[in-house]
Amino acid sequence: MAEARVVEPDLEFIRSVKKAGGADVKKCYQCATCSSVCSLSTTEKPFPRKEMLLAGWGQADTLSKDPDIWLCYQCNDCSTYCPREAKPGDVLAAVRSFVYERFAFPSFMGHALAAPRALPLLFLAPMLVIAAVIFASKTLQLQLSLREPGLADAVVFDKVFNIHVVEPLFIAGNILVFACAFAGLWRFWNQLESRSSGAGIGFVAGVVAAVKDIVFHTPFFSCDANKTRSWAHLMVFLGFFGAAATAGLGAVELKLFHHPPPIPLGHPIKWLGNLSGVLGILGTGILLVRRLADKESVGANGYQDWLFLIMLFLAFVTGMTTQLTRLSGLDAAYAAYYVHLVVVFFVLWYAPYSKFAHMFYRALAVVHAHAAGRRRKTAS
Amino acid sequence: METKIGAYFCKGCGIGGCLDIDKLLKAATAAKVPVVKSHDILCSQAGVDSIKADIAGAGVNRVSVVACSPRVFPELFEFGKDVLTDRVNVREGVAWCCKPNDEDTQMLAEDCVRMSVARLVNSAPAEPFVEETSKAVLVVGAGMAGLTAAKSAAQAGYKVVLVEKEERLGGWASKFSKVVPKGPVYREPEDSGVEALVQEVESHPNIKVHKGATVAKTVGQPGKFMAALEKGGVTTEVTVGSIVLASGWKPYDASKLGRWGYGASPDVITNVRFEELAAKGRIMRPSDGKPVTSVAFIQCAGSRDAEHLPYCSAVCCRVSLKQALHVRREHPEAKVYIIYKDLRSPAQYERFYARVAEDEGVFLTKGEIAEVKKEADGLISVRAEKTLLGEDITVRADLVVLATGMVPSTKVEPGPAAAEGAAGKTCDPEKEGKTADGKKEAESAELGAKILNLTYRQGTDLPTLKYGFPDSHFICFPYETRRTGIYAAGAVRAPMDLASGAGDGRGAALKAIQCVEAISRGAAVHPRAGDLSYPEFFMQRCTQCKRCTEECPFGSLDEDNKGTPLPNPLRCRRCGVCLGACPERIVSFKNFNVNMVSKMIKAIEVPEEDEDKPRILAFICENDALASLDMAGVMRLQRNAMIRIIPLRCLGSMNAVWVSDALAGGIDGVLLIGCKKGDDYQCHFIRGSELADYRMGNVKEKLKQLVLEEERVEIHELAITDYRRIPEIFDKFLETIRRVGPNPYKDM
């Protein structure tokens, strides 16, 4: 007789999904209303109906390999129409959180980001590191007074946060973080591949197609509900990459052209930075307000959702505050910069384990979807 | 007393505008009706008063109301027990459905009047059969349904005798630790509450409880049942008016469930066994006594399955949900799988389903069970195909619970038991079946298990429907069995839960009370509730052919050893099947008899052959078809005016001689319209329409003798909702008759 897969539900997985925002996962009674309203659903893959059942049955392994959960941008049509109020949109978000945690390398970091009680410790790390930076800067430039003669009333960050300390730290940290993220992503990719049937457009073409999708937010905008959210996300997305580009170009200015910061206000890099900052503040601000005000269409607000969004918002706001206080010549600029650095390091270093990781996992899943021919059907 | 007919014609509701009332009055006068009057609105106070004045002043004692359907204002035209009223329906039956001011329509109405006169001349007001009767109720079985029935009847002031074969009352309910929720908010299992009910019943002054007793024998008829209760060899006789059979259910024989792993391991158990384990406390694995941490429930194990129980037992899904919760409560890490065909948790029980399904340790999926086997590590693996997970899966569990269905206690298991039942009775059920319709009866209605041990000519217990339930018509007549005065309640009637069982007990108690009250007045019970007529047998002419004793759907007629019928009028439901059966025409009711109908047929004027006015006689069942005809009239569905209607108590009361009378008298064709027959019959007297169909054989024989075409007689089944089909049936038959040509006996 044929052998069938032995199904062993994982109660801990169900509990973690419930805790991470999918509290109503077991309410699903498989009516398929969600599949009939979801543009990702195909006849062979009743999405997210099947995912709901797998989650309810505690099928952590199957779901971890499921690229479809990453193609969902949580427009929440499913949750809106669900007659059982099982909120598939939230369940999928919770499952995604579970996946960052599961593939996290090192794995204790995954658990730390998912646990609110680890938060003080997580803050403490960048705080201490930046404090060490100040200490190192002081040792290097002890002879200098805070305000340089001739440059009266100007705030010079370099004196407190020596650029030659911050820069390598930032770059080395990023390399480490990306290595860790890569380790997790490698495991994820292999899982995806293990279930892939091939017959797609290939990896390179997949990457190209995925980049197009991501930059233009095409699938995002195909969600009927939540257009505001799509715009806000696009703003945050552009703001973030704009800010990242600003930082990169700043480093290029310093290393290649030996132009120490600050970059003058009229410089194009500065324009890019400020534009990104404004976009970022607006985008994250809209998303935050929506989360607070429109619970119905946003869905559940898990700990990871709040943590990620607030930190991102703070990163943009502190960046802008730092600039403004600096230009105003206030001493508070040093404090603002300190906070900004802590927040930015927090966001970047914990990226592979926090909701930030959706950037990597989702991007990879979209690449995989294109490459392996699992491209979502276009909303018609 | 001499009969004096008064015919009263109503001109209202469009009758006057369609028919020539003066000509109708003349037709009545020509039919020798001494008092003939018309009124603009006969149902008005003035109209009714004019009839009453003639009854009081002119000695009228037969009233023909030529107006609307007898279903309209039925009481308005009742004038006491000495006055016989006939309602001639020229409104729905003529004015509203036939061409107005037309010669054929007028002729139809005149025939209706003449037939009414013939009916009134040849019948008399019913005289009830009244005897000294008991109003006590015997309740057999003290489970939830029986206890509730006993309590309800006792509270209504009736004496109750309650018999329970076990030593304690309570039935299944007393064996379950918790039961599915019985009321709002339908979320948590509850106590059954049966202990309090038992206490109430045992202490009620109107209830006499016999524990550990069985019914050794039941003789007699409603109102005069004599039951011999046996306990430890001692017999007590009780006299009761009616009986509630609440003998409950038994679990389906698990030994037949090998396909679902029963017997493969002691850890494969039934849901009933689970209840026994749960009542003892913590659920332990039967094989090694270890605590159970995973359980797989297999739904429909032997249910909704042609090879086992073909029906759904209604409760097993909810029971498994309840048991799943029990497991989960004992063990927070326990995993419970429920694999079902369809999870049926209807109506408010949806809330209970949702509550259990939301438990994180309960896993539900549709699936087909492919294999259940014991693994080397002691676990039982269940392989299910076509699951909701989109693949075939195997789940492994400490314990497998088979959700087995309910079998009515009246069900006789095929095999030795049935053979014994057939041999040990005064009458052979096979033979009974064969004489009725030649083939199907034995399958569709087997004689149930011996519980009441009746002494009826037709057998010792209640005839059952297809699946062994003693119900007679589950939709229209709940609680009714095929033995008058005996009502089934609870899971013996249909699979049901405790709450429904309690409701059933109340319902059946009310039926039992209605019965003893009606019987005490000599009135019929359902469906001819209140009918005071009863069949009389002119024994001198009986040829002891046994047709009536075999065909009576309610076993009213016993017989002596020569085969002479011994009527039990109190068992009778007045369907007239005996009247239809009797070739000697010795059975008659005061207001319905062979002669009366023959005279009504003769009253139809048959025009000459060259007039091209065919005449068709339709015998219509009063229960559904006649009402359906009324509805067709109300809907103004037009039909031809060649058809003359004679309503019958049941198509089974049609005596074949009437067809011969009609055809010999020049009527061109005969239509028979009754209820649906077969396993899912709609017949209000169970077998009437089947018997009518069977008698069609005799009718065809008669046609051959008369050298007439077979097409001249047609039989149709018509449900009450089928009124739209009526014009088609009527007009098509007229076409057939026109094609076949006029009846050659017309001019003789």
Side-chain angles (χ1 to χ4, degrees), chain A residues 141-198:
Chain A
Q141 302 179 327
L142 263 182
Q143 74 279 22
L144 295 174
S145 69
L146 212 55
R147 292 188 187 237
E148 220 173 308
L151 277 173
D153 295 341
V155 177
V156 179
F157 286 138
D158 198 33
K159 285 184 287 184
V160 182
F161 310 94
N162 189 303
I163 193 72
H164 300 288
V165 181
V166 175
E167 195 77 44
L169 192 65
F170 188 73
I171 290 166
N174 281 0
I175 289 171
L176 186 65
V177 160
F178 275 93
C180 289
F182 185 79
L185 288 170
W186 179 251
R187 297 196 216 175
F188 177 59
W189 179 262
N190 286 333
Q191 292 277 13
L192 290 183
E193 283 290 288
S194 72
R195 291 203 3 165
S196 168
S197 54

Side-chain angles (χ1 to χ4, degrees), chain A residues 1 5 7 15 26 84, chain B residues 350 360 362 383 391 394:
Chain A
M1 269 206 187
R5 183 166 75 87
V7 170
R15 286 170 191 147
K26 293 288 276 188
R84 226 35 193 202
Chain B
E350 170 74 6
E360 62 194 19
V362 176
R383 186 157 60 85
E391 58 187 328
T394 297

